[in-house]
């Protein structure tokens, strides 16, 4: 802000100074994005892009398709920022929900995945899961959620991983695990409820 | 199904069916919301990957030419004419339709002030909904966006009706709502009904939607008027369906020189000139 030639005593604006000292949260940024603030969007992008891109790469796999999907996700975040409600969750969760849906839509729509053989799929999926376990360079909350995931029964954890990280429908998951669809639904729901309780989501 | 839904593991069509079900059941809706929030945490269980710098450049370029959903009026304002939010206090937020969940921008000007640009200006949920509708953003498909899957059932069926009814004029609405100079104006009538107007000078197009308007007296209808220095020109009638289903209606007629929009009650079939006082008169 340019006050021109008039001299302004900054001490006369204590509240402005205090506000400036607290860096904006991601929720603050997203609310500003909703009002068309491009600088806020850029700051938010810088903050969340590695998480979003990591998730997309995990699900979509193909690098160039992943970039396309990530682009779609960020444009959607820009377009729909007004729908975010901080009373209902964190900005990062909201963005991840957008990202996951887009990534899953892409993987299901692409011909390669439509044709993918489910047996091959579970093998690939298992490999990618092992990769992640090896790298294990995660944020603390990421560590927490993986630990929680590991504490589920094997059957619950497998179903959730296949659905969330593999992008498979629950019918496909049933095919992969060779159990009835109803069983998959139950495992996923029971597992997610346990995760919710362990992660303290209310 | 709440768990499967939270993981986006429902197939085509199943998601919508689930969301209708969840909408009818507060417990399902609550659980669906919590599990969606839980599912989002799973994203953090993947290693971060820094995207190439070209992605950021291309995203920043893209958003500069991408229109945002407009801010919407506060759902908590019980006087907004939306019956679905009557019980959506903070203790029960999951039943609020997703489109109406955002808080309003602080110090939002009164909803009736015309001439605001869509991204930051005031708008009412009705206008936002057609915007979404016209832009082909299926509201039903985005219900879970904010981790909120529930759209209350009557709200949802109303939207479906709107969707069906709007298909014929959808192309025109599409064009209107995609216009770069889209403006909206909203009027609240004494009886609580609202009349929303969306118009674009560049496209020379206008659409009107009403909510809560009473049925006109027998043998009568609501006639639309475009008013310029030369007087009022008939601009079509609101069909009984448009009134009862609150669906948007394209206003027909030349927009040049038009300064006001009005609605009067006229004998069925319309009059060549207004014969009653306008129930709505909106400056453009």
């Amino acid at each position: 802000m340019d006050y021109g030639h008039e001299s302004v005593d900054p001490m006369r604006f204590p509240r402005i100074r205090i506000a400036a000292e607290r860096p904006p949260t991601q929720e603050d940024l997203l609310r500003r994005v909703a009002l068309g603030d491009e600088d806020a969007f850029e700051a938010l992008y810088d903050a969340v892009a590695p998480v979003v891109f990591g998730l997309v790469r995990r699900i979509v796999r193909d690098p160039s398709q992943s970039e396309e999907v990530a682009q779609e996700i960020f444009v959607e975040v820009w377009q729909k920022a007004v729908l975010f409600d901080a009373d209902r969750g964190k900005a990062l969760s909201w963005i991840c929900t957008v990202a996951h849906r887009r990534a899953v839509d892409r993987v299901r729509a692409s011909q390669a995945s439509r044709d993918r053989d489910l047996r091959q799929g579970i093998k690939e999926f298992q490999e990618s899961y092992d990769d992640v376990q090896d790298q294990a360079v995660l944020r603390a909350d990421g560590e927490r959620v993986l630990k929680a995931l590991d504490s589920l029964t094997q059957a619950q954890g497998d179903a959730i991983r296949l659905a969330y990280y593999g992008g498979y429908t629950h019918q496909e998951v049933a095919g992969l695990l060779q159990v009835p669809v109803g069983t998959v639904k139950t495992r996923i729901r029971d597992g997610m409820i346990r995760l919710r309780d362990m992660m303290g989501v209310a | 199904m709440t768990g499967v839904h939270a993981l986006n593991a429902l197939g085509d069509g199943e998601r919508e069916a689930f969301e209708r079900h969840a909408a009818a059941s507060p417990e399902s809706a609550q659980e669906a919301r919590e599990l969606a929030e839980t599912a989002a945490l799973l994203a953090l269980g993947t290693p971060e990957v820094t995207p190439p710098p070209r992605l950021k450049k291309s995203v920043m370029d893209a958003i500069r030419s991408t229109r945002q959903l407009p801010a919407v009026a506060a759902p908590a304002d019980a006087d907004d004419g939306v019956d679905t939010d009557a019980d959506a206090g903070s203790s029960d937020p999951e039943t609020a339709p997703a489109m109406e969940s955002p808080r309003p921008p602080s110090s939002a000007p009164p909803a009736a002030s015309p001439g605001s640009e869509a991204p930051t200006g005031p708008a009412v949920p009705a206008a936002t909904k057609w915007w979404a509708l016209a832009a082909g953003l299926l509201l039903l498909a985005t219900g879970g966006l904010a981790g909120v899957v529930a759209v209350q059932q009557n709200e949802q069926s109303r939207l479906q009706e709107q969707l069906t009814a709007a298909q014929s004029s959808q192309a025109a609405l599409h064009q209107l709502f995609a216009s770069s100079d889209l403006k909206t104006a909203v009027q609240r009538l004494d009886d609580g009904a609202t009349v929303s107007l969306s118009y674009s000078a560049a496209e020379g197009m206008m659409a009107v939607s009403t909510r809560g308007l009473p049925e006109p007296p027998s043998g009568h209808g609501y006639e639309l008027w475009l008013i310029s220095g030369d007087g009022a020109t008939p601009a079509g009638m609101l069909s009984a369906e448009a009134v009862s289903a609150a669906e948007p209606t394209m206003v027909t007629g030349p927009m040049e020189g038009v300064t006001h929009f009005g609605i009067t009650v006229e004998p069925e079939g319309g009059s060549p000139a207004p014969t009653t006082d306008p129930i709505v008169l909106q400056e453009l």
Side-chain angles (χ1 to χ4, degrees):
Chain A
M1 198 172 294
D2 183 8
Y3 288 102
H5 60 276
E6 286 177 32
S7 82
V8 175
D9 178 1
M11 292 312 287
R12 290 176 59 200
F13 298 97
R15 282 197 303 174
I16 292 173
R17 286 162 56 84
I18 289 164
E21 277 166 19
R22 182 178 71 91
T25 62
Q26 291 177 2
E27 288 70 30
D28 295 336
L29 290 174
L30 191 47
R31 275 189 290 256
R32 279 164 51 190
V33 169
L35 299 174
D37 185 334
E38 291 176 12
D39 293 337
F41 182 83
E42 184 171 1
L44 189 62
Y45 176 95
D46 290 341
V48 306
V51 172
V52 168
F53 198 58
L55 177 66
V56 172
R57 280 297 304 273
R58 175 84 182 269
I59 295 168
V60 176
R61 313 287 290 275
D62 177 75
S64 73
Q65 284 206 48
S66 296
E67 269 185 59
E68 286 173 27
V69 173
Q71 164 110 10
E72 291 169 10
I73 290 162
F74 281 106
V75 171
E76 182 171 340
V77 166
W78 167 259
Q79 281 181 307
K80 299 186 179 172
V82 73
L83 301 181
F84 168 69
D85 182 349
D87 290 347
R88 299 187 189 185
K90 295 190 171 206
L92 186 57
S93 304
W94 186 81
I95 293 168
C96 286
T97 303
V98 172
H100 186 260
R101 189 167 284 192
R102 283 266 179 187
V104 165
D105 285 350
R106 171 63 67 106
V107 90
R108 290 197 193 140
S110 79
Q111 194 56 35
S113 70
R114 198 193 305 273
D115 294 345
R116 66 193 163 165
D117 175 73
L118 289 183
R119 278 172 218 288
Q120 180 62 24
I122 197 165
K123 185 164 158 280
E124 276 180 19
F125 172 77
Q126 197 58 49
E127 285 164 2
S128 77
Y129 174 58
D130 293 343
D131 287 351
V132 171
Q133 296 297 81
D134 290 345
Q135 296 169 2
V137 183
L138 289 170
R139 305 145 55 104
D141 35 10
E143 297 277 10
R144 247 182 93 220
V145 78
L146 284 190
K147 197 169 273 185
L149 201 49
D150 280 344
S151 76
L152 304 180
T153 69
Q154 177 87 29
Q156 290 170 350
D158 283 350
I160 289 173
R161 287 189 188 95
L162 281 168
Y164 190 82
Y165 298 123
Y168 293 102
T169 65
H170 68 292
Q171 291 93 341
E172 287 174 322
V173 171
L176 288 165
L177 298 177
Q178 299 186 316
V179 295
V181 170
T183 307
V184 166
K185 285 188 200 169
T186 308
R187 286 179 184 176
I188 287 180
R189 177 166 180 265
D190 292 350
M192 288 300 290
I193 286 173
R194 275 202 67 191
L195 276 186
R196 175 196 68 189
D197 296 344
M198 278 186 286
M199 299 299 292
V201 177
Chain B
M1 294 289 264
T2 49
V4 173
H5 177 267
L7 299 179
N8 277 325
L10 290 169
D12 290 343
E14 294 176 320
R15 186 188 286 167
E16 292 73 19
F18 169 80
E19 286 168 8
R20 272 196 296 280
H21 159 75
S25 155
E27 287 116 55
S28 288
Q30 166 83 6
E31 185 173 296
R33 188 183 69 78
E34 291 172 358
L35 296 190
E37 189 73 12
T38 306
L41 292 172
L42 289 170
L44 307 177
T46 58
E48 296 187 5
V49 179
T50 303
R54 65 173 172 270
L55 177 64
K56 178 169 172 181
K57 185 180 180 312
S58 120
V59 164
M60 293 307 295
D61 287 348
I63 64 149
R64 289 190 180 109
S65 58
T66 302
R67 175 177 285 274
Q68 294 181 289
L69 284 184
V72 300
D77 291 351
D79 66 350
D80 70 356
V82 182
D83 54 2
T84 54
D85 274 343
D87 62 348
S90 57
S91 64
D92 194 21
E94 72 286 351
T95 56
M99 283 302 287
E100 290 167 12
S101 61
R103 295 290 174 260
S106 55
S107 73
S113 81
S116 50
E117 284 300 321
T120 53
V124 291
T128 308
K129 276 165 196 147
W130 324 338
W131 191 91
L133 196 68
L137 300 170
L138 268 181
L139 202 54
L140 304 183
T142 60
L145 244 190
V148 179
V149 296
V151 174
Q152 261 196 1
Q153 194 169 34
N154 53 356
E155 179 70 357
Q156 190 164 13
S157 53
R158 198 179 63 73
L159 286 167
Q160 281 172 326
E161 283 163 17
Q162 275 196 354
L163 187 63
T164 314
Q167 265 163 359
S168 54
S169 56
Q170 197 167 24
L173 287 170
H174 216 120
Q175 191 185 347
L176 170 60
F177 286 100
S179 64
S180 57
D181 65 335
L182 179 69
K183 294 182 177 176
T184 58
V186 181
Q187 278 206 10
R188 180 175 308 284
L189 309 186
D190 291 342
D191 59 2
T194 56
V195 176
S196 313
L197 210 52
S198 296
Y199 55 100
S200 156
E203 301 290 343
M205 298 174 85
M206 182 185 289
V208 61
S209 177
T210 66
R211 187 183 292 186
L213 213 54
E215 270 186 44
S218 170
H220 290 70
Y222 293 108
E223 186 163 8
L224 314 176
W225 303 96
L226 291 170
I227 301 158
S228 65
D230 299 335
T233 310
M237 305 285 293
L238 283 182
S239 68
E241 297 75 41
V243 172
S244 61
E247 78 188 39
T249 302
M250 290 302 298
V251 179
T252 54
M255 300 289 167
E256 248 168 70
V258 169
T259 58
H260 289 75
F261 166 85
I263 299 180
T264 61
V265 176
E266 300 293 339
E268 229 162 23
S271 307
T275 62
T276 60
D277 287 337
I279 58 163
V280 171
L281 190 63
Q282 174 67 50
E283 188 175 358
L284 304 178

